[in-house]
Structure formats: structure tokens, C-alpha cells
Amino acid sequence: MSYAPGTLIRARGREWVVLPDSSDELLMARPLGGLDEEITGILPAVEAVESASFSLPAPTDRGDFASGRLLRDAARLSTRAAAGPFRSFARIAVEPRPYQLVPLMMGLRLDTVRLLIADDVGIGKTIEAGLVARELLDRGEIQRFAVLCPPHLAEQWQKELSEKFHLDAELVLSGTIQRLERDLPVGVSVFDRYRFVIVSTDFIKSPKRAEDFELRCPEFVIVDEAHGCTLAGGMGRGRQQRFDLIRKIAARPDRHIVLVTATPHSGNEQAFRSLLGLLDEQFFDLPVDIAQEERDPIRRKLARHLVQRRRDDIRHYLATDTSFPKRFDKKPEPSYRFGDEYRALFNDIVAFVREFVADTEGGARRRRVRYWSALALLRCVSSSPAAAAATLRSRAAVDEAPDEDVDEVGRRTVLDQDDVDDVGNLDFSPGSDTEADAASTRRKLLEFARRAEALAGEPDTKLQGAIREVKGLLKDGFQPIVFCRFVDTADYVAKHLRETLGDKVRVESVTGLLPPAEREGRIAALVEGGGQYVLVCTDCLSEGVNLQQHFNAVLHYDLCWNPTRHEQREGRVDRFGQEKREVRVITYYGQDNPIDGVILDVLIRKHKSIKSDLGVTVAVPGSSERIAQTLFEGALFREMTRSGLQQLQLDFSGSGKAQIDEFHAEWEAARDKESVRRSRFAQHAL
């Protein structure tokens, strides 16, 4: 044969490598540096074929040391694919840690990649999923892929894929779809035109959009925050639609799917099995309690699809140390006490709220509207004078909702849900005024608003205490993030921090009112040039945004009613890549604020205790919103205690204490199950 396998030839204006199965009549060749999908047959009788030759270097080709080293590095990188097991390594701009290769190795062992990556917060799940996508592309096993994620994480995914994996993906969001569809021919979909897309799960879940996506879905799909696509008791329409969409996509047996979440198990077994069922239909019927002799085969099968590791599992992995920062929670938790005027306002509002909620006129819908309006008012007045005034002067969001959606809108605007819909749109003040309120009620609300506005600044002891904590963090060399619940509170805190800290410390406020691109722009402008700076924000930055390069402390100005959200906030700085060896966390609460007291004692301290013991977050059994509702419905609107207004307490004796004890027992049981599960699926064997 004229050209032996492995010979370099030149044809069609480029160089090729001759492959086995070639003959004198037909040469099977792959482009030099090309992929298997580019393998081509060349007929020497028809096309000109010659041995490839490369000119010797001439004196005129001489360059400097930097260009020579660049050429050497390029040559070494370009030959990685030929020398190593992974073809993608020449096309990535990140050096994976050994533990981050485990999901990739697991995926390559499967005929169809079906993985649940459930590693702890801050370990690098995005890189792990991106490695799988890049490798499958470079092997020619897929041509297209889609990332389904909450809308506020879309741009973060786009940036990570572009910078680390050289994959330019198009954003398919409610705000971009008109532009993307503008010039499409009839019968052509956005998903036909673009090979790589990042799609808002919230946008694509609607029946009209979901059908188009199902028909044209790429061969590979990554689902971020996959715990929001599970079946659970009392699930809303949005979660049901997301689950239906992912299940239909997963029904095609040859479609590759990677599910990504840091909280796969919320304590609800049905939800966990439904998540696993998206990997394999058999896992929908995974038994809760199985005999020991039956457990090993099921565990072995599931272990092929599930990787779930704590930081301790991978801190020392394959003789490679991975450093994570040490989190220091300030103890005891800093606190404040209401000033006399603020306490009087708070107590007057509580008395008004109890009377307001006790009114049974107007039917069931009217009672639910009053309940959610009252809870919104109490939450806002606990947050800041600015949030209190805003919600006292505006119409309640629940009052504008259809009858069947009153409770769902109330939960979304007042509570801190476990749901994964756009967090950034839920940080506005939820309002308390309603159309059906009597004139006397509206006068009271406006009077309360005027009193709240008069308490801004110096009389606000919560604000003054937080300013002292921020000054302490800056003095100790930290760059803090101050998390608030409401837009009005964040802007209020930022304003007073600027006035107090002066020109030497830059302060910026970022809330859900800003589009994601502008949020990133404000943060970039804040940290540019170094020095000292403080970021004040809402929970629009609590998920998906990596801030560890510029910030190293978190102050919870407002307590979340969902401890998982607390963990997400702290995870913005406490993650792989944090340069400071210690990150600091300040959980700030009101000593005489009964709402803070309940949340801190019943939810947050318990959550931190379990994480300290287990090394990983264990979600609240059921949902934190259900617990919050149970606690406050049972205690918040009772009659005043004998100690009167000055010593307002939430009385959890009797049935209330029994509910808390039962809830904590469920949480401990979930902790024990999670401990066993993590040890099973840490994948030490790999």
C-alpha cells in the first residue's frame, strides 16, 4: 500500500492522518488535529494526494523567547488528546481537580449518560457538568446541548461555558426570545438554529414552549437546580410543569441527561425518588425500607448514576489536597434591641394585625388575603423602616391574585420558598393595603407608614448595630456582603453605610430590580481598583453568582425563613477558589423581635448544628415555608401575654412546643438518612 496507517498526507489543501482499513484505491483519513466525525474517504485516482511535508525553519522565522514558549505550550496542549484518555483537555481553560473528574469517568462508563451530581455547595458542580458536555462533544457523541436553569443563573452558565470550555451558548429567556425568533424561517425553531442553548426553566415550562422544546430537544441536557423539578406533596403548578417537561425529555432512552443540585433530598422521599426516576424509570419505585440482602444490588445500580460528596470526602483526594476556607460564625450571634419608639410602633402594628386577622367577614378568600397581608407587614416592619413604609403604602400582591392563587402568591412574596423560580423578582415589598379595607384601616396604615419613616437613620438601632459590625469586618481586613430580604431595605442600608463610612469605603446596592447584566456590572465597578468596599444586596445574589474572588464575609441583616437560603448566601464566598483562609459569617437578630427569635431558635441554629455535625446541608423536612406557616399561624396572632406590650413573646408552650419537637425529630431522622446516603455515594473507589 502506498500510504501506511499513521502516514501524514496532504489532500484538499490540508494535512491528514491515514487510518487503518485504507487501501490503494480508498484512503480513510482524519484531518490532522480533527475529530472522528471528520473522517473522510479519499480516492487517489480522482484527487491529488501527496506525502505531507513541512518546511525546515529559516532564519527569518526566528522569534523571541515569549513566542517560542507560546508555540511549545500550544504544541503540548494540542497533543493531549492523542496521549490521554480525555479528548476535551486540549479545549478547556480550567485545570480540573482530580475529584472533579469523577462524574466524567462515571458518565463515560454508561452507554447513555444519566447522572445526578449532588455535591456540596461550592465544590464545583458547574465545572463537573461542563467537563461531561465538552468531552461528549469532542468525541463526536453529541452535536448539540441545552442547559435548563433558573433564569437568574442563565448568564452565569453562559459565562462559565464560554470562559472555561470555549462553548458559546445562546440565552433563551423571556427577554431574548423575540430577538432570537425574529428572522427565523417558517417551521424553524430557535432550538434548530442554535447548537448550544441556555434555557430558562421557568420560561420553557409553559405548555406552548415545552412542546417545541420536546420536539427539538438536543441529545444532551444539563438541568441545574434539579431539586425544583421534583414531585412533592402540595407542589405548585410551576413545579409540576417542570417535572412533566424533564420527564418527557428523559423518556427518550438515548438522550444524555445530567442533573445538578446541592440539595437532592429535602426530607421528602417522594420528591427524592422522583428526582432519581428522571435518571431511570425503575428508580421511581425505589423502596424506602428494603432488607439488607436486597439493598446492595439497588445501591450498586444507583451508584453508577449518583455522585454525592461532602467537602471532607474530597479535601484529600488521590494525593491531591484541595483547600477550602474555614467558616467562622461569630458567637454569640450579634443582636440589637428595638429603640423605644420602634418598639412602640412594632407592638402597635402587632395589635392591629391580630385584630385585622381576627375579622372573619368577607369569606374564605378575604380571610386569606388579610392573613398574608398581615404577615407581610410584620416581616417588613422587622426588616427596616423603609420596607415597612413601602409595604404600608402599597397594595398587597395577594389582593391582586386570582382566588385559587392567593396562597401561592402569598408564599412566594412573603416566605422564603425552596422553589427555584426567579428569586430576583421576589425581593420587593409585598404590600399590605387591600381594596376591601375600610377607610379607617387605610388611615391606620398611612399613620403607621409616617411613623416608620420618622424612625429612619439614628433611631433605628438595628441599622446602627449593623454599621458597627460592618466597621469591625472592614477593620479586620474583610470585604463583606450584607444580605437583606427586601429591595427597600437594601437601598436603605446602603445609603446609610455610604453616609457613615465616607469616601474611603465604596458601597453598592444590588437588587432584583436590576437585570442580571447590570448586577454584574455594578459588582465589577465596585471591586475595580481594590481597596475597601461593601456590597449590600438581596437574595437575587444568593444563588449561582460566584463572589469568592472579591468578598470573604457575609452579614445576614435580615434572617431568612428558610435556612437553606442562609446556606446559599454564605456559599457565595465559602467555596473553592476563595483566597482567604477564613471567611466570616454574622447572623444578626433582634433580641426583642419575636419573629427573629422563632426563626433563629427553631430553624437556623438547628440547621447550623446539623451541618456542623454532618459536614453538609440537610434540607428542612417537607419545606421551611410549611414550618414557618405552622409556627406563626399557631402563635403569632394569639392574645398578648400577661407581660404586656413591652415584653411581647411568642408563646410556644403546649401544642406549639410539641409541634417544634416533632419537627426537630423529623429533621434528625433526615440527618441520619443523609449521613448514610453520603457515605454510600461518595465514589471513593474512583
Side-chain angles (χ1 to χ4, degrees):
M1 192 172 70
S2 301
Y3 299 103
T7 303
L8 296 181
I9 61 173
R10 180 172 180 81
R12 302 181 183 179
R14 64 188 302 187
E15 286 74 29
W16 304 76
V17 179
V18 178
L19 301 177
D21 300 328
S22 297
S23 65
D24 288 333
E25 292 76 24
L26 177 65
L27 295 177
M28 300 303 299
R30 181 178 64 224
L32 192 62
L35 304 176
D36 285 348
E37 64 190 37
E38 299 177 90
I39 292 174
T40 303
I42 301 175
L43 295 171
V46 177
E47 302 183 60
V49 177
E50 60 184 15
S51 296
S53 61
F54 301 92
S55 302
L56 293 174
T60 55
D61 297 327
R62 184 179 57 193
D64 57 16
F65 173 76
S67 60
R69 185 170 61 179
L70 182 64
L71 177 62
R72 183 203 65 176
D73 291 344
R76 292 174 64 186
L77 288 172
S78 65
T79 57
R80 278 188 179 185
F86 305 120
R87 298 188 180 179
S88 59
F89 276 22
R91 295 176 174 84
I92 61 176
V94 60
E95 184 174 348
R97 309 297 291 177
Y99 72 85
Q100 291 175 326
L101 299 178
V102 169
L104 174 58
M105 294 168 65
M106 293 171 61
L108 295 180
R109 290 181 174 187
L110 301 170
D111 292 333
T112 301
V113 177
R114 293 289 176 99
L115 293 178
L116 171 55
I117 303 177
D119 288 339
D120 195 12
V121 174
I123 285 180
K125 295 183 291 297
T126 302
I127 291 177
E128 293 170 346
L131 283 171
V132 177
R134 180 78 259 187
E135 183 68 20
L136 293 181
L137 281 168
D138 291 341
R139 287 172 177 257
E141 295 184 30
I142 62 172
Q143 301 298 319
R144 304 180 300 143
F145 72 77
V147 176
L148 300 183
C149 64
H152 56 282
L153 303 184
E155 293 196 7
Q156 179 72 16
W157 267 101
Q158 185 184 47
K159 181 179 179 182
E160 291 287 300
L161 290 174
S162 175
E163 293 181 353
K164 292 183 171 63
F165 301 100
H166 304 300
L167 296 171
D168 296 324
E170 194 69 42
L171 296 180
V172 181
L173 312 171
S174 58
T176 65
I177 191 64
Q178 288 187 347
R179 172 179 60 82
L180 297 177
E181 292 181 333
R182 187 172 299 141
D183 300 323
L184 290 179
V186 176
V188 176
S189 168
V190 166
F191 307 110
D192 294 324
R193 169 163 289 187
Y194 300 101
R195 290 180 61 198
F196 313 135
V197 290
I198 299 169
V199 187
S200 161
T201 317
D202 187 43
F203 167 72
I204 206 67
K205 71 186 180 186
S206 64
K208 177 184 175 182
R209 296 291 181 182
E211 183 177 355
D212 180 43
F213 184 69
E214 291 163 23
L215 290 173
R216 298 170 169 86
C217 184
E219 314 96 282
F220 181 64
V221 178
I222 298 172
V223 183
D224 194 15
E225 302 295 342
H227 59 274
C229 306
T230 60
L231 289 173
M235 63 190 296
R237 288 199 306 271
R239 185 180 287 255
Q240 178 70 61
Q241 288 175 329
R242 285 192 293 270
F243 175 78
D244 290 342
L245 172 62
I246 305 303
R247 188 169 188 179
K248 289 176 181 176
I249 291 172
R252 179 172 158 176
D254 60 344
R255 178 166 286 130
H256 306 284
I257 296 178
V258 173
L259 307 177
V260 179
T261 175
T263 52
H265 201 297
S266 64
N268 185 309
E269 289 291 342
Q270 179 194 13
F272 182 59
R273 287 198 299 274
S274 68
L275 184 62
L276 296 178
L278 297 174
L279 304 174
D280 189 319
E281 288 279 348
Q282 296 182 24
F283 294 148
F284 279 118
D285 301 319
L286 190 70
V288 180
D289 297 312
I290 53 179
Q292 180 64 43
E293 59 271 15
E294 299 174 346
R295 183 177 296 151
D296 286 342
I298 294 176
R299 183 186 67 182
R300 284 197 297 269
K301 182 173 183 179
L302 183 56
R304 299 175 62 205
H305 302 273
L306 171 59
V307 56
Q308 186 176 26
R309 298 167 292 183
R310 304 168 300 174
R311 292 186 180 185
D312 286 344
D313 293 326
I314 51 89
R315 197 180 298 274
H316 308 288
Y317 188 81
L318 291 181
T320 301
D321 292 340
T322 302
S323 61
F324 291 99
K326 181 179 180 180
R327 186 183 305 185
F328 177 76
D329 285 271
K330 189 173 182 179
K331 297 290 183 181
E333 297 96 345
S335 61
Y336 66 93
R337 298 186 69 87
F338 285 133
D340 292 340
E341 292 178 276
Y342 212 121
R343 184 187 297 114
L345 173 63
F346 185 86
N347 290 339
D348 288 347
I349 289 177
V350 170
F352 164 78
V353 159
R354 282 177 166 150
E355 181 181 346
F356 186 58
V357 173
D359 185 357
T360 59
E361 294 183 1
R365 181 190 190 279
R366 182 79 197 108
R367 288 194 295 273
R368 297 310 295 164
V369 168
R370 279 195 293 266
Y371 168 76
W372 287 112
S373 300
L375 202 56
L377 177 53
L378 284 172
R379 182 144 203 208
C380 287
V381 77
S382 297
S383 177
S384 70
T391 205
L392 284 160
R393 293 182 182 277
S394 58
R395 184 179 174 188
V398 289
D399 197 37
E400 303 179 69
D403 292 355
E404 66 275 11
D405 291 340
V406 166
D407 285 322
E408 182 177 349
V409 172
R411 285 190 291 268
R412 285 174 57 82
T413 55
V414 179
L415 303 180
D416 301 323
Q417 288 189 292
D418 297 318
D419 205 350
V420 296
D421 281 334
D422 194 353
V423 177
N425 290 334
L426 303 180
D427 53 9
F428 58 85
S429 298
S432 59
D433 193 9
T434 69
E435 281 191 334
D437 284 344
S440 59
T441 298
R442 292 186 174 179
R443 283 196 298 271
K444 285 183 180 179
L445 295 176
L446 291 176
E447 176 60 29
F448 286 145
R450 287 190 286 268
R451 289 173 61 184
E453 289 169 337
L455 296 176
E458 190 66 32
D460 185 359
T461 54
K462 178 180 180 180
L463 172 68
Q464 300 307 321
I467 291 175
R468 287 193 295 272
E469 294 297 331
V470 170
K471 286 182 176 179
L473 290 171
L474 292 171
K475 183 179 178 181
D476 292 342
F478 289 90
Q479 310 288 18
I481 305 174
V482 180
F483 275 102
C484 306
R485 176 61 178 83
F486 300 106
V487 171
D488 299 285
T489 299
D491 291 339
Y492 165 80
V493 171
K495 173 179 178 292
H496 286 279
L497 280 173
R498 290 190 194 99
E499 295 173 354
T500 304
L501 299 176
D503 296 335
K504 293 184 178 180
V505 180
R506 302 187 300 279
V507 180
E508 187 57 86
S509 172
V510 174
T511 69
L513 295 180
L514 302 173
E518 190 170 343
R519 298 175 201 169
E520 292 187 13
R522 285 200 181 186
I523 295 172
L526 174 66
V527 303
E528 186 177 3
Q532 290 189 309
Y533 45 82
V534 179
L535 174 63
V536 185
C537 64
T538 63
D539 287 310
C540 69
L541 295 184
S542 67
E543 288 186 84
V545 182
N546 298 332
L547 301 173
Q548 72 273 19
Q549 293 182 343
H550 305 293
F551 300 92
N552 42 47
V554 166
L555 188 152
H556 300 285
Y557 190 84
D558 292 323
L559 299 185
C560 286
W561 291 9
N562 178 353
T564 302
R565 185 67 54 78
H566 262 237
E567 184 66 27
Q568 290 168 340
R569 289 174 171 183
E570 295 163 14
R572 297 312 96 214
V573 300
D574 182 12
R575 59 194 303 112
F576 177 66
Q578 172 61 255
E579 296 181 358
K580 200 172 182 67
R581 299 186 66 178
E582 175 188 296
V583 296
R584 190 167 294 181
V585 173
I586 295 178
T587 304
Y588 187 53
Y589 76 101
Q591 289 186 22
D592 53 353
N593 182 337
I595 296 176
D596 277 5
V598 172
I599 296 300
L600 188 65
D601 288 336
V602 178
L603 288 175
I604 294 176
R605 283 176 177 156
K606 183 67 174 179
H607 168 83
K608 288 184 176 292
S609 173
I610 290 176
K611 187 174 191 301
S612 176
D613 293 342
L614 189 59
V616 71
T617 298
V618 177
V620 177
S623 68
S624 60
E625 64 201 59
R626 175 180 63 83
I627 301 304
Q629 278 188 259
T630 300
L631 294 175
F632 288 108
E633 284 181 354
L636 188 56
F637 303 125
R638 293 176 183 171
E639 294 298 322
M640 290 289 186
T641 60
R642 292 182 180 179
S643 56
L645 296 175
Q646 295 298 321
Q647 299 295 325
L648 178 63
Q649 299 286 334
L650 291 185
D651 181 13
F652 286 107
S653 59
S655 61
K657 186 177 186 304
Q659 285 178 324
I660 294 174
D661 291 343
E662 181 182 354
F663 162 61
H664 280 176
E666 291 180 21
W667 210 348
E668 286 291 341
R671 171 198 180 281
D672 294 339
K673 290 179 180 179
E674 188 71 6
S675 177
V676 173
R677 184 176 297 109
R678 292 274 173 173
S679 65
R680 286 180 183 170
F681 302 111
Q683 303 294 349
H684 293 294
L686 291 178

